Amino acid sequence: MTQQLLQLSQDGQTISLIAKPFKESPDHVISRSDIAGELVEIDAINFYLFENAIDSALGIINSRQKDSDVEVKVQQFVIAERRDSSLLIKTEPDLMKTSITVIGAYGGAPVTGNALIDALKENHIVKGIRKTQLQELLGRSKLLAPGEKLTMPVAFGRFPVHGTDTTFEPLVDDSSQRILRPQSTDDGKVDMLDLGDLITVKAGQAIMKLVPATTGCNGFNVLGKEIAAIPGNELVFDCGDGTAISEDDVNILVATKSGVPLRKPCGMQVDDALTLKGVNVTTGHIDFDGSILITGDVTPGMKVSATGNIIVSGFVELGELKAGGDIAVAKGIIGRQQEGKHLACYLQAAGKVTSKFAQFVEIDAGQDVSFSIHALHCLIRTKGELSVIDQIKRHGTLSGGYVEAGSRVKALNIGALAGVPTEIIAFTQHSALREQLNTAYQAVEREKTQMHKIKEAQLKLLKIPSTKRPPELVEKVKASIQLHRQRMSELNSAFQNLKQDYEEQLAQASIVAVGRLFSGVSCQIEKEKLNILQEHGPSVVVYKDRALQRLSYNA
């Protein structure tokens, strides 16, 4: 190249290329590399290049001038310019995060700290700005190549921390936990037979503590708008029989008499306790208004009924127990194999059922059912969950029989090597929840129909000349529309809440085998079924992608 092609503007911001065709075939074709070389010479290699302008200029320069006496006009193309570093601001739709993208300078000035701050102000980002993030972005942006992009989040909103509801903490042990947690001996070993003393309380003893609801902590978005926290629900003690609020502390519930504590959702009650050494042909059947403590066994054929808890420190064999509270059997529950759906040994509790083991037993429970050793060939129906595993995860076999659980089922081992048929249905309350969902949906649809009729009436009214419209009718239609809009909002909200609750409960429903899951086990969650055809290690069966799936389980 015999002459300089590029020209830097006086202000140093642009580069021009002088283009004129050769009169004769050129000895050297001008290429991009020649232009790049000159850009280096004038310290403009990092300028932003206009590619189309370069192509046009090179096309003219490398063309041969036609024979003519007319002088070809020289053309000047702006092929490059200096550009400062630029910024892009992006805020998430929920206004909880803002990011800045820095684009590397083309020979121009890098971004400055003031430019970052000004860009945030222009976009009304005033809250949750992280100075350390801005400093890091500023430092790293100086190392960017021309046109290179660097994006970093620099401002964060804070979600509100919603308040917690009032909770009630029992200050006395639970009979079921006492059975599942054997006593330690002096040498540190565990005595599986020693279950400690039967649980009773004395008059004046503190039995429950109320932990007040909290208001929560408000949040904010990056625009500085406050997001209100939802305060927890305030609840009060439900003072059952034999209890009262302490005179010294309104958050403490005390017993007013001696007896057996029975936990309620928002309080406790203390039942009179009938203590028996055993239930047999000598005592006859027992029906008591209160709680029953049986320090021995319930022998075959005997029936025990109580409005409170039934606690048995021995065995229940071929008996019938019905409790308005919990049933806790320390050593075990033994039935007998027989034909037909109902088994000879039957337990019914409004609360929990807890024991070491059960075999050939029929159980109906309003809350959780728990065994620490095994449950074999039982018929179990619970509105809560079924757990067949001890606290150290050494024992716990669920094999044979039929199980219906309101939420989940968990055991160390489910099934047996011999492929014993074991049928398990979890999340049994899906039918009732679906019925509630359907009722809520139908209510929404009915309200939509009503809204449609009112809007039709409004359209007919609008067709009447304004001077002839009855004012009282106009106001009545307006009020009706407002009322139904509010009603529609309430119904939609109720439907969405039910739907969310259903989906959350379905997601939590599971059948868990911490150790082994054997063939012969039939699993069902909602309406979907899965038959286990071979032995597996630790497994969990869950509802996923509209089907039951067996996945590996990691405790």
Side-chain angles (χ1 to χ4, degrees):
M1 191 163 51
T2 58
Q3 62 180 13
Q4 184 172 342
L5 296 172
L6 304 185
Q7 180 179 329
L8 180 65
S9 64
Q10 289 185 352
D11 61 6
Q13 296 300 307
T14 61
I15 303 291
S16 298
L17 189 154
I18 310 303
K20 178 181 179 181
F22 288 96
K23 290 185 177 181
E24 299 178 356
S25 297
D27 297 329
H28 173 74
V29 176
I30 304 302
S31 66
R32 284 179 176 272
S33 61
D34 297 315
I35 294 175
E38 284 203 25
L39 288 172
V40 172
E41 291 177 7
I42 61 177
D43 196 24
I45 191 63
N46 288 330
F47 277 36
Y48 181 81
L49 301 179
F50 299 108
E51 302 294 344
N52 290 338
I54 294 174
D55 290 338
S56 297
L58 289 178
I60 293 174
I61 292 173
N62 291 320
S63 64
R64 184 175 179 275
Q65 181 181 332
K66 296 181 179 179
D67 293 335
S68 173
D69 295 333
V70 179
E71 184 70 21
V72 176
K73 185 178 179 181
V74 175
Q75 297 186 52
Q76 181 173 325
F77 293 86
V78 175
I79 65 160
E81 71 176 7
R82 186 192 305 273
R83 290 184 177 180
D84 293 340
S85 182
S86 57
L87 302 174
L88 292 174
I89 305 289
K90 180 181 179 182
T91 299
E92 298 297 325
D94 61 1
L95 304 179
M96 297 303 286
K97 184 172 74 173
T98 294
S99 300
I100 296 181
T101 298
V102 180
I103 303 172
Y106 290 91
V111 71
T112 64
N114 288 336
L116 295 176
I117 297 297
D118 291 342
L120 291 173
K121 288 181 179 178
E122 289 172 6
N123 286 270
H124 311 291
I125 309 303
V126 297
K127 194 82 170 176
I129 299 171
R130 303 276 179 87
K131 291 183 179 179
T132 54
Q133 296 287 99
L134 288 174
Q135 291 170 352
E136 183 180 353
L137 177 62
L138 186 63
R140 291 174 60 183
S141 67
K142 294 177 181 178
L143 305 177
L144 292 175
E148 184 182 359
K149 295 181 180 180
L150 172 63
T151 301
M152 287 184 63
V154 296
F156 302 86
R158 185 179 71 196
F159 287 100
V161 178
H162 298 307
T164 56
D165 296 343
T166 301
T167 57
F168 300 89
E169 298 179 357
L171 301 178
V172 292
D173 286 339
D174 182 278
S175 299
S176 62
Q177 292 304 312
R178 184 177 63 88
I179 289 173
L180 298 175
R181 186 181 61 244
Q183 304 297 304
S184 297
T185 58
D186 294 336
D187 59 3
K189 296 182 179 180
V190 173
D191 186 347
M192 298 297 286
L193 298 179
D194 181 10
L195 302 170
D197 297 330
L198 292 173
I199 296 171
T200 57
V201 296
K202 297 178 180 179
Q205 181 178 345
I207 57 177
M208 180 169 274
K209 177 182 178 181
L210 181 149
V211 180
T214 60
T215 57
C217 179
N218 291 340
F220 56 81
N221 61 30
V222 293
L223 301 184
K225 183 177 180 181
E226 189 173 71
I227 305 174
I230 300 173
N233 293 320
E234 291 280 0
L235 302 173
V236 297
F237 273 128
D238 177 11
C239 298
D241 293 340
T243 69
I245 296 174
S246 171
E247 295 180 357
D248 300 324
D249 188 343
V250 294
N251 292 327
I252 296 294
L253 193 69
V254 297
T256 58
K257 65 179 182 180
S258 299
V260 177
L262 175 61
R263 184 170 181 180
K264 303 169 71 176
C266 298
M268 298 190 85
Q269 69 183 57
V270 177
D271 286 346
D272 294 324
L274 172 64
T275 303
L276 302 169
K277 291 184 178 180
V279 177
N280 48 47
V281 292
T282 302
T283 62
H285 301 313
I286 304 297
D287 188 354
F288 184 69
D289 184 8
S291 293
I292 300 176
L293 308 179
I294 303 170
T295 58
D297 302 327
V298 177
T299 58
M302 303 312 300
K303 298 179 180 181
V304 179
S305 179
T307 58
N309 296 340
I310 298 177
I311 303 171
V312 182
S313 62
F315 292 96
V316 173
E317 183 177 356
L318 293 170
E320 180 180 295
L321 274 61
K322 294 183 179 181
D326 299 339
I327 295 178
V329 181
K331 294 185 178 178
I333 312 166
I334 305 168
R336 180 176 59 214
Q337 185 174 8
Q338 64 183 47
E339 296 297 329
K341 192 169 185 180
H342 295 286
L343 297 173
C345 191
Y346 178 65
L347 275 67
Q348 177 184 332
K352 297 178 289 186
V353 173
T354 310
S355 186
K356 289 227 172 303
F357 68 85
Q359 51 197 48
F360 297 108
V361 178
E362 182 176 353
I363 298 172
D364 281 305
Q367 297 178 23
D368 298 343
V369 175
S370 304
F371 302 103
S372 58
I373 297 179
H374 64 239
L376 306 179
H377 307 286
C378 293
L379 174 58
I380 300 172
R381 292 177 292 263
T382 171
K383 293 180 181 179
E385 71 172 52
L386 170 64
S387 172
V388 189
I389 189 170
D390 63 1
Q391 291 189 334
I392 58 176
K393 299 179 182 179
R394 185 177 297 174
H395 303 285
T397 297
L398 172 63
S399 179
Y402 175 85
V403 173
E404 288 183 0
S407 54
R408 71 169 185 166
V409 173
K410 183 178 182 180
L412 182 66
N413 302 310
I414 300 180
L417 280 172
V420 176
T422 306
E423 186 174 355
I424 301 174
I425 302 175
F427 191 40
T428 55
Q429 54 191 340
H430 81 273
S431 297
L433 290 173
R434 274 196 173 277
E435 188 174 337
Q436 293 177 28
L437 263 177
N438 184 60
T439 301
Y441 176 78
Q442 294 299 330
V444 170
E445 291 301 307
R446 285 194 298 271
E447 194 62 28
K448 284 182 180 178
T449 302
Q450 286 297 109
M451 282 288 292
H452 181 69
K453 289 179 179 179
I454 294 171
K455 286 183 178 180
E456 285 182 341
Q458 186 183 37
L459 288 173
K460 289 180 181 179
L461 193 61
L462 290 174
K463 291 178 181 179
I464 302 173
S466 58
T467 55
K468 296 183 179 180
R469 295 174 196 162
E472 66 279 4
L473 184 57
V474 172
E475 290 302 317
K476 183 178 179 181
V477 170
K478 285 183 178 179
S480 183
I481 288 175
Q482 184 65 28
L483 177 65
H484 283 278
R485 279 179 177 168
Q486 182 178 350
R487 175 66 175 160
M488 176 64 79
S489 175
E490 292 171 353
L491 290 174
N492 264 323
S493 178
F495 174 73
Q496 292 300 328
N497 288 338
L498 280 172
K499 185 178 179 181
Q500 182 179 353
D501 182 48
Y502 182 88
E503 290 173 349
E504 288 176 355
Q505 292 195 48
L506 178 58
Q508 293 172 1
S510 60
I511 299 170
V512 179
V514 177
R516 310 295 296 176
L517 178 62
F518 295 95
S519 64
V521 177
S522 171
C523 302
Q524 180 177 336
I525 297 177
E526 210 198 38
K527 295 181 180 179
E528 299 299 321
K529 296 183 179 181
L530 177 66
N531 293 321
I532 306 302
L533 304 177
Q534 63 184 45
E535 181 182 341
H536 298 279
S539 302
V540 56
V541 176
V542 293
Y543 182 91
K544 186 177 181 182
D545 299 330
R546 297 187 178 182
L548 281 198
Q549 297 185 25
R550 187 205 64 82
L551 308 174
S552 295
Y553 176 75
N554 296 314

